[in-house]
Amino acid sequence: MAKLSNRFWFQLHGWFSLPVWIIFCFVCLTGTIAVVSHELTWLTNPDSRANNPQQLIEKSSAELVDIVQQAHPTASISTVVTFEPYLVNAVIFTDSDKPFAIAYVNQYTGEIQAINEGMTFINFMRGLHSWLLFPWESNYSIGYYIVCAMAIAMLGALVTGLVIYKNFWRAFTQPKLRLNQGKKTLLSDLHRLAGVWSLWFLLLMSLTGLWYLVQAILWHNDVDLEAHAPLVSAQQLPINSVDIPVADISLSEALVIAKNKFPDFKGTYIMLPEHTRDTYKLYGKGDFTFYDEHSYGVIINPWTGVIESTRQPDDMTPLQTLSHIADPLHYGNIGGLWTKAIWFLFGVLLTGMSITGFLMWGSRTVKAAKSVDSELEPKSKEIK
């Protein structure tokens, strides 16, 4: 009975892992690369580096907007994105000859180091990992569901693997790696060791992946986790103006208002008003370690300077909290380069586990097929 039970769990473990092996391995590999996509960009693209040899003070987002506006007087600037300190800031704009462009501005020197009118490597890798670059239609992407469903396969493989591997905790204190007992034994030892040492990582990826699946279902059904930014009342707009009115509150003043509201606020995603009734949307991070870089938000009326709404971790609902802690836990950017390096290492292990698991399954399948053939061969001779 115990033998039958072990066989059942092994087959179930295989079914959780193998039918989706190619997709699972691809998602693990692209996710591992996505974790260090910023660092790879820094290594391969000199224009992305925020060099600061003279130790200059970092310029504000408002100053960067002014720099781009002077270089492109007819441009309509919509967004300023801040990355790691060693990467330049991105100022997104449109112009008469540029339907969509990103100006990479050194936040220390103020130099526009490059203009990009296509997809960046960072966005490409994140999109490839998150939704396989499938198109988004009606608030959902089939690719997003496929990737999120891998969390179910990962969790199933984790549970069944623990059932199969008796006394798995011994691998922490007595790791076993037999190098001289054949390919099959070596693959099995590598697979088990990587699995045991990656238990926390597997569980973390499974749980965050399941949350992404829930989030996708909510999006698909038009359930908003956070309220949309309010529009400015029409009564607050200036009247009897021949030209398009200019907002009374500048971006620099809006940033000061946000800083007064949240002293630890550091803007990472700044959106300028797109029309007269739109608002400044200032998103950033604060002093909460496990929250993402958009966990703080200040929506400011550009005509009056009034704060229309705010966002901060203390006021979040449970679902909003999950939404803002999932990415840092999934991509490992909670502690900078050190945690990214750890996530990258275990991402490599997880990718390797999917490969060794497939090789083990292939070896057993070939052996079983040969065994069946050898049993059938004598019977075929008897029939003749």
Side-chain angles (χ1 to χ4, degrees):
M1 188 69 181
K3 186 175 181 180
L4 179 64
S5 178
N6 281 340
R7 183 180 180 185
F8 166 77
W9 284 111
F10 184 82
Q11 289 177 339
L12 187 61
H13 180 72
W15 277 110
F16 271 121
S17 307
L18 299 172
V20 293
W21 175 78
I22 295 178
I23 299 176
F24 181 77
C25 184
F26 183 78
V27 170
C28 292
L29 178 61
T30 53
T32 302
I33 297 173
V35 166
V36 292
S37 57
H38 288 189
E39 288 65 36
L40 291 175
T41 299
W42 184 90
L43 283 171
T44 58
N45 185 2
D47 291 332
S48 70
R49 301 170 190 169
N51 296 322
N52 187 18
Q54 298 179 353
Q55 300 299 311
L56 300 173
I57 299 175
E58 182 177 353
K59 298 181 184 298
S60 69
S61 298
E63 292 177 282
L64 302 184
V65 168
D66 290 339
I67 291 170
V68 175
Q69 196 71 73
Q70 290 175 10
H72 301 271
T74 60
S76 176
I77 299 174
S78 61
T79 311
V80 182
V81 184
T82 302
F83 303 103
E84 286 84 355
Y86 46 84
L87 290 176
V88 295
N89 288 7
V91 180
I92 302 173
F93 68 96
T94 60
D95 208 341
S96 56
D97 60 338
K98 295 177 176 61
F100 177 84
I102 304 174
Y104 292 117
V105 189
N106 188 314
Q107 62 270 31
Y108 305 108
T109 65
E111 177 188 358
I112 299 177
Q113 298 184 177
I115 300 290
N116 183 13
E117 299 183 48
M119 179 176 283
T120 66
F121 174 73
I122 295 171
N123 290 339
F124 174 78
M125 288 310 308
R126 292 294 176 100
L128 191 61
H129 171 66
S130 300
W131 56 85
L132 306 176
L133 295 183
F134 275 64
W136 284 78
E137 296 179 1
S138 303
N139 250 3
Y140 77 98
S141 167
I142 295 176
Y144 194 88
Y145 278 108
I146 293 174
V147 173
C148 293
M150 293 300 102
I152 300 174
M154 187 184 299
L155 188 61
L158 171 61
V159 173
T160 54
L162 291 178
V163 174
I164 295 169
Y165 191 8
K166 306 298 182 183
N167 302 323
F168 65 88
W169 52 87
R170 291 180 180 174
F172 291 114
T173 57
Q174 301 173 359
K176 182 169 60 175
L177 187 61
R178 294 164 288 183
L179 302 176
N180 302 319
Q181 296 187 24
K183 174 183 173 182
K184 179 181 175 181
T185 301
L186 178 61
L187 287 176
S188 178
D189 287 347
L190 285 173
H191 189 78
R192 290 179 177 181
L193 276 177
V196 171
W197 283 88
S198 302
L199 282 177
W200 68 273
F201 189 74
L202 285 164
L203 185 60
L204 186 61
M205 295 300 106
S206 300
L207 294 178
T208 51
L210 288 175
W211 164 247
Y212 290 140
L213 180 60
V214 172
Q215 190 171 248
I217 295 172
L218 294 175
W219 285 342
H220 194 174
N221 290 277
D222 297 321
V223 177
D224 295 322
L225 297 180
E226 292 173 307
H228 292 282
L231 293 175
V232 174
S233 172
Q235 288 75 17
Q236 295 178 338
L237 301 180
I239 57 176
N240 298 326
S241 177
V242 177
D243 299 325
I244 298 175
V246 178
D248 294 330
I249 305 299
S250 66
L251 176 58
S252 59
E253 291 172 322
L255 290 170
V256 171
I257 294 172
K259 193 72 174 178
N260 291 334
K261 177 63 180 178
F262 299 122
D264 296 319
F265 177 84
K266 178 174 175 54
T268 57
Y269 196 83
I270 309 298
M271 299 178 67
L272 282 67
E274 295 182 357
H275 49 80
T276 55
R277 294 189 60 191
D278 201 2
T279 53
Y280 287 112
K281 303 175 186 67
L282 312 180
Y283 300 109
K285 57 184 179 180
D287 55 351
F288 282 76
T289 302
F290 290 97
Y291 285 75
D292 63 19
E293 297 185 341
H294 311 104
S295 55
Y296 283 83
V298 184
I299 310 302
I300 299 174
N301 188 317
W303 304 103
T304 63
V306 173
I307 297 177
E308 300 289 348
S309 64
T310 62
R311 172 201 294 172
Q312 62 175 325
D314 288 336
D315 299 332
M316 290 181 180
T317 65
L319 290 182
Q320 290 171 346
T321 298
L322 288 173
S323 179
H324 286 282
I325 67 174
D327 273 5
L329 293 175
H330 194 76
Y331 289 102
N333 53 4
I334 54 178
L337 285 173
W338 287 106
T339 51
K340 282 186 179 184
I342 294 172
W343 261 244
F344 176 79
L345 173 62
F346 280 92
V348 171
L349 286 178
L350 188 55
T351 305
M353 282 176 60
S354 66
I355 296 174
T356 55
F358 178 77
L359 292 175
M360 290 164 58
W361 174 82
S363 176
R364 284 187 172 90
T365 302
V366 171
K367 183 177 179 181
K370 289 181 178 179
S371 177
V372 171
D373 290 341
S374 62
E375 290 178 1
L376 292 177
E377 187 175 352
K379 292 183 180 180
S380 63
K381 289 181 179 179
E382 291 177 3
I383 293 174
K384 291 180 180 179

